[in-house]
C-alpha cells in the first residue's frame, strides 16, 4: 500500500521517496542467489489427503467477542463485528493478538521441513560476498551504495572512490540495534554533490518514521543533531552543498486526528548540520501554489541552478510541476513557472539546459515523449519526439550525452538513447540480458548512467552505460555461484479473462516439468497503482522450485503492463477486473495441468492483499492456501487511517456512493460468509506497519475463524519488531519466507512438510 510513491521527475531522475510493497521490498526478501538445480530435500512426493489433514488444537486460544458496529452508507448497512480490534493497545485485543500470533509461530515451527528450508535459504543468501543496492554515482568517479555482507543482518552505507577502490563504511544501523535492542534500517540516503556529506534517514522496527542525520564522509562522524519527521527523504542538495532541501511531515499536536499525519507536509531547507532553528519552509501543501493539503511537494535542484518542484498525490503516476531558479528561491522571490498540471498526464519530466522532455499518457495510453523549450513550456504545444506505439514508455533520464528512454516491449524492457539535438532519433542500447532494469545516477552534467539489470533467470548486476552506448559491468554487485541457473526457464502466456481480455502471466519452472496436474504451484500478483511485475530474479522462488514447485506471476488489470488504460481498468469501480483476471490465471494453470486446486496457493502483499483476498472469497474452492502478506483487507475502513487519505485516488472514497461501493466490493473482510469452506490462510503482518494497519489482518483472521470454526487453519503471524517489510533485517525476511513456503507446502501435502507432534 503506497504512502507517497514519488516519481522520477527531473533530469537527475530523482529517486522515489518511498515505494509500495513492490520491487525494493521484494528485493529485501529475495536478493539471494539461485538454488542449485537438484532439490535439497529430495524428489517431490505428495501425501494422501488423510495424511494432509491439519489437526490443530485451538481450544486454548482466546475467542474474539463480536461487538458489532453497523454503519449505513447510501442505504447499505455495513456490519463490522470486530471494530474493537482497531484499538490494538486495548488489553483484551493485545492479549488476543499475542496468543494467536504465538500459536501461529509455534505451529509453523512444527512443520517438518521448515527449519531445513530456513537453513538452506540462509546458505544461498550468503553464497555471494554481498548484496548491493541504491547506488549513487557522483562526478569524480565517486560511488555511494548500501551493502549487506554475507554475514550481515542489515544493509549498511558505504562509499568508494573509483570502481576498483576500497569500500569505506559510513553508517552501520546494526550498531543501533545493539544499543537499543530494536532493529534499525536505512530508509534513504543522499550524498552531497561534493561527496563530503551524506544525509541518511534511519527508522526503527519497520516503523519508517525516519529521522535524518548528516555523516561527514572523511571522519565518519555525525554532524549536527538528528532531524525528525523526514519520513520519505525527497532530498535535493544545492550544487555547492551549502544547503539541503527535503520533504518533511507536519508536527502533530495532541488533538490531531490520525488522518492528519500525511497532510500539509512541506519542502524545507537548512544548512547541513544546523538544528531545528535553522530550518525554514519553502513550499507547504495546503498553502502554496494551490497544492492540496493531501498531496506532497518535493523539489529537485539541478547542477545549473534550476529548481523543479513536483506535486504528487502519493499513488498516481502523474504529477504537477513548476520551475524557478535557486537564486530566486534564496532571495525569497521564486516566481514559480508552471511546467505541467495533473490534467496533462505527465509521468516523467527531465530538463537539459533550455530544453524540457516529458512523458505523458494524455491521448496515448502507452505514452508518448514530448519536448519543447523551457520558456513557456506546455505539454499541449510541445513537439512529439516519440509517438505512442505498441511499446509502453516507462521512464526517462537525462545525461550530458542524451536522453535515456526505457520502454517495455511485452514484459521485456529496452533502453534507448536520444541525443540532445534537433532531429535526433532514438538509438537502442544493446543489453546483455533481456529482462528488466532501473536507471539511476543520470545527471545533466555527466555522461551515461547506471543500470540495474536482471531477468527471471539471471541475478541482478549493475552496469555503467557510456556515452558511446557501451556497457560494462561495474562489479559493484559481486557475482554469486548460483546467479544463472541453467535449468530454469520462464514461459510467457496470455490468459483469457472473464470478459475476453487477454492477461499476461509468467510461469517460472524447471526444464522438463511434467504437466500432470500435481505440481505445487504458487501464483503471485499485486496489480495496484499501475505497478507492473517485471522480470526479477529470486533465489527463494528457486527454493520453491527445488520442492518440485512452479511459480507463476500475473499482471492483471490494475498494473500497467500494457499502459495507462490497463491501470484504469483495475482501479476503483473497475477493481473487480483485478481479482477476476487473477482467477482466470489460476484456472489456466489448472486447465493446462500445471497444477490442481489442492496444489495451488496464491500470495500477494499490501494492496496485493485485495487481489488474493477477493480471489479467495469469490472462488474459495480454487485454492489450497492463501497468503495475504501485510494485506489491505478492510478497505471500507482504510480511509479512517493515516495512510487512507493518500490512497483515495487509487481506491476511492467512502464519502461518495461510487467510492463506497467500490471499496465494499474490494474489501475481503466484508465478503467473508459464514459456513464457507475457505482455503487455509496465513496472515503475516508487522505490528508497526505505517501503511496498512495491522488490524486489517487481525480483524480478517477473527472473521475467518468465526465463519468456519472447524475449517482449515487460519494463522496470524505477527512480527512485533517490523512494519510493512521495508527495513526488515535479513533474519526477519528469511524467517518470514521460510514460514510462508513451509505453510504452503504443508497445505499442499508435499511430503517432508507434515505437521509434527
Amino acid at each position: 500500500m503506497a504512502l507517497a510513491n514519488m516519481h522520477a521527475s527531473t533530469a537527475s531522475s530523482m529517486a522515489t521517496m518511498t515505494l509500495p510493497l513492490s520491487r525494493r521490498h521484494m528485493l529485501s526478501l529475495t536478493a539471494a542467489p539461485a538454488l542449485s538445480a537438484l532439490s535439497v530435500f529430495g524428489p517431490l512426493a505428495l501425501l494422501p489427503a488423510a495424511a494432509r489433514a491439519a489437526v490443530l488444537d485451538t481450544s486454548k486460544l482466546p475467542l474474539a467477542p463480536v461487538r458489532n458496529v453497523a454503519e449505513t452508507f447510501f442505504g447499505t448497512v455495513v456490519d463490522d463485528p470486530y471494530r474493537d480490534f482497531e484499538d490494538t493497545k486495548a488489553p483484551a485485543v493485545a492479549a488476543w493478538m499475542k496468543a494467536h500470533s504465538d500459536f501461529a509461530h509455534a505451529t509453523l515451527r512444527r512443520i517438518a521441513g521448515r527449519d531445513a528450508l530456513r537453513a538452506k535459504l540462509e546458505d544461498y543468501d550468503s553464497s555471494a560476498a554481498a548484496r548491493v543496492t541504491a547506488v549513487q554515482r557522483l562526478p569524480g568517479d565517486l560511488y555511494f551504495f548500501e551493502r549487506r555482507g554475507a554475514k550481515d543482518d542489515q544493509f549498511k552505507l558505504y562509499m568508494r572512490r573509483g570502481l576498483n577502490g576500497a569500500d569505506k563504511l559510513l553508517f552501520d544501523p546494526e550498531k543501533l540495534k545493539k544499543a537499543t535492542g530494536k532493529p534499525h534500517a536505512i530508509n534513504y540516503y543522499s550524498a552531497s554533490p561534493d561527496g563530503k556529506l551524506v544525509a541518511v534517514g534511519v527508522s526503527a522496527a519497520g516503523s519508517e518514521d525516519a529521522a535524518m542525520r548528516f555523516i561527514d564522509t572523511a571522519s565518519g562522524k555525525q554532524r549536527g543533531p538528528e532531524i525528525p519527521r523526514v519520513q520519505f527523504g525527497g532530498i535535493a542538495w544545492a550544487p555547492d552543498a551549502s544547503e539541503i532541501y527535503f520533504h518533511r511531515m507536519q508536527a502533530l499536536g495532541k488533538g490531531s486526528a490520525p488522518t492528519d499525519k500525511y497532510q500539509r507536509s512541506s519542502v524545507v531547507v537548512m544548512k547541513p548540520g544546523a538544528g531545528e532553528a535553522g530550518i525554514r519552509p519553502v513550499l507547504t501543501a495546503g498553502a502554496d501554489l494551490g497544492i492540496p493539503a493531501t498531496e506532497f511537494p518535493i523539489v529537485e535542484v539541478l547542477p545549473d541552478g534550476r529548481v523543479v518542484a513536483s506535486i504528487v498525490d502519493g499513488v498516481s503516476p502523474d504529477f504537477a510541476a513548476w520551475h524557478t531558479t535557486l537564486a530566486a528561491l534564496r532571495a525569497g522571490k521564486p516566481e514559480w513557472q508552471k511546467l505541467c498540471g495533473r490534467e496533462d498526464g505527465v509521468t516523467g519530466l527531465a530538463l537539459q539546459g533550455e530544453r524540457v522532455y516529458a512523458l505523458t499518457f494524455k491521448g496515448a495510453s502507452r505514452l508518448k515523449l514530448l519536448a519543447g523549450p523551457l520558456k513557456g513550456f506546455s505539454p499541449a504545444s510541445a513537439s512529439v519526439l516519440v509517438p505512442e506505439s505498441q511499446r509502453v514508455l516507462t521512464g526517462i533520464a537525462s545525461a550530458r550525452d542524451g536522453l535515456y528512454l526505457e520502454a517495455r516491449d511485452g514484459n521485456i524492457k529496452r533502453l534507448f538513447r536520444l541525443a540532445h539535438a534537433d532531429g535526433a532519433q532514438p538509438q537502442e542500447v544493446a543489453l546483455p540480458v533481456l529482462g528488466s532494469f532501473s536507471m539511476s545516477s543520470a545527471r545533466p552534467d555527466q555522461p551515461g548512467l547506471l543500470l540495474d539489470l536482471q531477468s527471471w533467470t539471471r541475478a541482478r548486476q549493475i552496469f555503467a552505460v557510456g556515452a558511446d552506448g557501451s556497457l560494462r559491468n561495474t562489479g559493484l554487485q559481486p557475482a554469486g555461484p548460483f546467479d544463472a541457473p541453467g535449468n530454469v526457464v520462464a514461459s510467457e502466456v496470455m490468459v483469457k479473462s472473464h470478459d475476453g481480455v487477454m492477461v499476461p502471466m509468467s510461469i517460472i519452472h524447471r526444464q522438463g516439468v511434467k504437466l500432470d496436474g500435481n505440481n505445487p504451484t504458487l501464483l503471485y500478483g499485486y496489480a495496484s497503482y499501475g505497478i507492473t511485475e517485471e522480470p526479477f530474479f529470486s533465489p527463494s522462488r528457486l527454493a520453491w522450485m527445488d520442492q518440485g514447485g512452479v511459480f507463476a506471476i500475473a499482471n492483471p488489470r490494475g498494473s500497467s503492463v500494457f499502459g495507462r488504460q490497463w491501470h484504469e481498468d483495475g482501479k476503483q469501480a473497475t477493481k473487480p477486473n483485478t481479482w477476476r483476471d487473477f482467477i482466470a490465471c489460476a484456472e489456466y494453470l489448472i486447465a493446462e495441468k500445471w497444477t490442481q486446486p489442492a496444489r495451488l496457493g496464491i500470495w500477494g502483499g499490501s494492496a496485493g492483499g485485495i487481489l488474493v483476498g477477493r480471489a479467495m472469497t469469490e472462488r474459495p474452492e480454487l485454492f489450497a492456501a492463501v497468503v495475504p502478506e501485510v494485506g489491505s483487507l478492510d478497505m471500507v475502513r482504510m480511509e479512517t487511517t493515516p495512510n487512507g487519505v493518500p490512497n483515495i485516488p487509487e481506491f476511492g472514497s467512502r464519502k461518495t456512493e461510487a467510492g463506497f461501493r467500490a471499496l465494499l466490493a474490494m474489501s475481503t473482510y466484508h465478503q467473508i460468509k459464514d459456513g464457507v469452506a475457505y482455503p487455509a490462510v496465513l496472515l503475516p503482518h508487522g505490528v508497526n506497519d505505517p501503511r496498512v494497519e495491522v488490524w486489517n489482518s487481525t480483524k480478517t483472521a477473527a472473521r475467518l475463524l468465526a465463519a468456519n470454526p472447524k475449517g482449515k487453519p487460519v494463522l496470524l503471524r505477527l512480527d512485533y519488531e517490523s512494519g510493512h517489510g521495508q527495513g526488515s533485517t535479513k533474519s526477519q525476511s528469511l524467517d518470514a519466507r521460510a514460514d510462508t513456503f513451509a505453510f504452503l507446502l504443508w497445505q499442499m501435502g508435499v511430503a517432508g512438510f507434515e505437521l509434527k507432534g
Side-chain angles (χ1 to χ4, degrees):
M1 180 69 68
L3 276 171
N5 185 22
M6 315 308 288
H7 301 273
S9 59
T10 66
S12 59
S13 296
M14 178 171 47
T16 58
M17 294 210 303
T18 190
L19 293 169
L21 182 64
S22 177
R23 189 57 56 238
R24 176 150 185 181
H25 179 56
M26 291 303 296
L27 282 174
S28 73
L29 296 175
T30 62
L35 300 184
S36 62
L38 299 176
S39 170
V40 296
F41 296 104
L44 172 68
L46 297 171
L47 299 174
R52 267 185 262 134
V55 180
L56 295 178
D57 181 7
T58 60
S59 60
K60 296 181 181 179
L61 288 174
L63 297 175
V66 174
R67 297 188 176 94
N68 189 51
V69 176
E71 293 181 279
T72 301
F73 299 89
F74 307 99
T76 299
V77 177
V78 178
D79 290 323
D80 189 351
Y82 303 105
R83 175 71 62 84
D84 59 319
F85 271 38
E86 294 179 15
D87 183 2
T88 59
K89 302 298 183 184
V93 174
W96 186 94
M97 291 169 60
K98 185 68 164 57
H100 280 265
S101 180
D102 287 349
F103 178 78
H105 282 279
T107 301
L108 292 165
R109 277 159 180 73
R110 286 173 57 199
I111 299 172
R114 187 267 177 199
D115 290 345
L117 177 58
R118 172 63 174 81
K120 282 295 180 181
L121 287 171
E122 179 80 42
D123 290 343
Y124 297 134
D125 188 89
S126 302
S127 63
R131 302 296 164 191
V132 171
T133 188
V135 180
Q136 181 183 358
R137 180 192 63 166
L138 292 178
D141 207 24
L142 188 60
Y143 296 85
F144 292 80
F145 49 89
E146 293 179 44
R147 180 182 187 271
R148 193 190 69 202
K151 296 182 180 180
D152 294 334
D153 203 28
Q154 189 56 281
F155 283 91
K156 305 175 184 182
L157 180 62
Y158 290 83
M159 66 178 291
R160 180 189 296 184
R161 190 170 295 279
L163 288 174
N164 296 320
D167 290 348
K168 180 177 182 179
L169 177 62
L170 298 177
F171 183 77
D172 181 0
E174 290 188 11
K175 291 182 178 179
L176 293 175
K177 181 179 180 180
K178 292 177 182 178
T180 66
K182 292 183 177 295
H184 283 69
I186 298 171
N187 287 52
Y188 56 83
Y189 79 88
S190 179
S192 62
D194 57 9
K196 294 181 178 179
L197 289 173
V198 60
V200 187
V202 182
S203 65
S207 68
E208 300 182 52
D209 288 332
M212 184 175 69
R213 63 190 71 197
F214 295 94
I215 306 297
D216 183 292
T217 61
S219 67
K221 295 181 178 179
Q222 182 172 322
R223 179 187 293 186
E226 294 177 27
I227 308 298
R229 306 196 314 278
V230 191
Q231 187 161 332
F232 305 135
I235 294 170
W237 291 86
D240 62 2
S242 64
E243 294 175 321
I244 184 170
Y245 295 78
F246 55 94
H247 179 269
R248 198 179 194 201
M249 311 306 297
Q250 67 168 321
L252 297 177
K254 290 183 178 180
S256 299
T259 51
D260 287 342
K261 181 174 181 179
Y262 299 117
Q263 298 194 47
R264 293 175 287 279
S265 62
S266 299
V267 171
V268 299
V269 63
M270 66 181 291
K271 292 186 180 300
E276 192 73 33
I279 298 175
R280 64 178 178 85
V282 174
L283 283 175
T284 300
D288 300 319
L289 292 178
I291 305 169
T294 57
E295 299 194 1
F296 304 88
I298 50 175
V299 301
E300 181 77 358
V301 182
L302 303 182
D304 64 0
R306 298 188 187 278
V307 178
V308 176
S310 299
I311 314 301
V312 301
D313 64 18
V315 295
S316 302
D318 52 304
F319 53 87
W322 284 261
H323 74 96
T324 186
T325 65
L326 183 58
L329 198 62
R330 285 172 167 170
K333 300 178 181 179
E335 297 181 354
W336 294 101
Q337 302 295 309
K338 193 171 185 178
L339 286 167
C340 61
R342 297 296 295 274
E343 69 278 3
D344 295 310
V346 170
T347 64
L349 196 65
L351 273 64
Q352 185 74 26
E354 296 298 319
R355 190 178 181 89
V356 179
Y357 300 96
L359 276 182
T360 177
F361 57 70
K362 188 173 183 179
S365 181
R366 298 187 182 223
L367 286 80
K368 59 187 175 183
L369 177 64
L370 307 176
L374 177 61
K375 185 176 181 180
F377 178 81
S378 169
S381 59
S383 300
V384 177
L385 289 188
V386 180
E388 182 183 18
S389 70
Q390 287 300 107
R391 290 173 175 157
V392 180
L393 304 183
T394 56
I396 56 175
S398 188
R400 189 173 67 198
D401 56 295
L403 182 81
Y404 287 87
L405 176 67
E406 61 180 44
R408 188 184 303 117
D409 194 352
N411 205 25
I412 299 297
K413 271 190 175 177
R414 299 188 184 278
L415 180 66
F416 297 85
R417 177 179 164 275
L418 182 66
H420 298 303
D422 293 338
Q425 296 296 313
Q427 301 296 316
E428 185 167 3
V429 178
L431 302 179
V433 174
L434 293 179
S436 66
F437 57 82
S438 59
M439 301 184 295
S440 67
S441 294
R443 291 171 53 101
D445 61 344
Q446 63 178 353
L449 45 60
L450 298 180
L451 213 61
D452 197 306
L453 181 63
Q454 61 187 317
S455 75
W456 295 126
T457 60
R458 294 295 181 270
R460 52 185 292 275
Q461 287 289 313
I462 302 166
F463 290 84
V465 181
D468 59 356
S470 63
L471 266 76
R472 62 168 175 154
N473 194 323
T474 63
L476 289 167
Q477 171 57 61
F482 306 105
D483 282 0
N487 68 337
V488 174
V489 295
S491 299
E492 303 291 342
V493 300
M494 297 294 289
V495 177
K496 183 179 287 187
S497 191
H498 67 102
D499 56 359
V501 170
M502 302 302 288
V503 179
M505 178 169 62
S506 304
I507 308 173
I508 302 98
H509 56 91
R510 298 286 186 194
Q511 288 179 345
V513 64
K514 293 181 180 179
L515 299 184
D516 58 3
N518 284 321
N519 301 302
T521 299
L522 182 52
L523 174 59
Y524 175 85
Y526 187 76
S528 285
Y529 312 109
I531 291 172
T532 299
E533 291 298 331
E534 297 170 341
F536 67 97
F537 187 78
S538 166
S540 66
R541 184 173 63 229
L542 295 176
W544 177 261
M545 282 181 271
D546 269 359
Q547 304 312 310
V550 169
F551 203 109
I553 299 176
N555 268 305
R557 280 168 283 188
S559 76
S560 60
V561 66
F562 295 136
R564 172 68 174 183
Q565 193 59 50
W566 197 255
H567 177 203
E568 289 291 325
D569 289 344
K571 61 181 286 193
Q572 296 192 19
T574 60
K575 193 64 179 171
N577 284 329
T578 296
W579 62 82
R580 288 170 186 162
D581 288 353
F582 199 62
I583 288 169
C585 289
E587 291 175 326
Y588 175 95
L589 292 167
I590 294 167
E592 297 297 319
K593 298 190 179 301
W594 289 94
T595 191
Q596 58 179 286
R599 308 277 189 264
L600 179 58
I602 53 176
W603 177 31
S606 191
I610 299 171
L611 178 71
V612 300
R614 287 297 283 116
M616 172 189 74
T617 51
E618 193 155 302
R619 292 291 303 278
E621 80 286 356
L622 206 56
F623 312 108
V626 181
V627 183
E629 185 172 350
V630 294
S632 304
L633 301 169
D634 182 352
M635 295 303 293
V636 174
R637 293 285 292 167
M638 181 66 193
E639 194 173 338
T640 69
T641 71
N643 192 30
V645 174
N647 276 280
I648 288 173
E650 178 70 15
F651 301 115
S653 170
R654 67 189 206 150
K655 295 178 181 178
T656 69
E657 182 169 3
F660 158 70
R661 300 207 180 281
L663 290 166
L664 181 61
M666 69 180 79
S667 186
T668 298
Y669 172 66
H670 293 94
Q671 303 299 329
I672 297 169
K673 296 179 173 61
D674 291 337
V676 174
Y678 289 109
V681 182
L682 174 65
L683 295 140
H685 216 125
V687 174
N688 304 317
D689 193 336
R691 306 187 184 209
V692 179
E693 302 287 338
V694 68
W695 48 254
N696 279 265
S697 290
T698 60
K699 290 170 70 173
T700 301
R703 182 70 187 96
L704 284 167
L705 289 166
N708 195 352
K710 296 183 179 180
K712 290 188 176 180
V714 177
L715 299 182
L716 178 68
R717 184 195 186 279
L718 302 181
D719 187 333
Y720 285 81
E721 291 191 335
S722 76
H724 202 62
Q726 286 78 0
S728 291
T729 65
K730 181 173 78 170
S731 297
Q732 288 174 308
S733 299
L734 294 178
D735 282 344
R737 188 52 42 85
D739 285 349
T740 294
F741 283 2
F743 173 80
L744 290 162
L745 293 166
W746 166 38
Q747 289 303 308
M748 293 175 183
V750 176
F753 288 87
E754 305 87 353
L755 198 64
K756 298 181 296 184

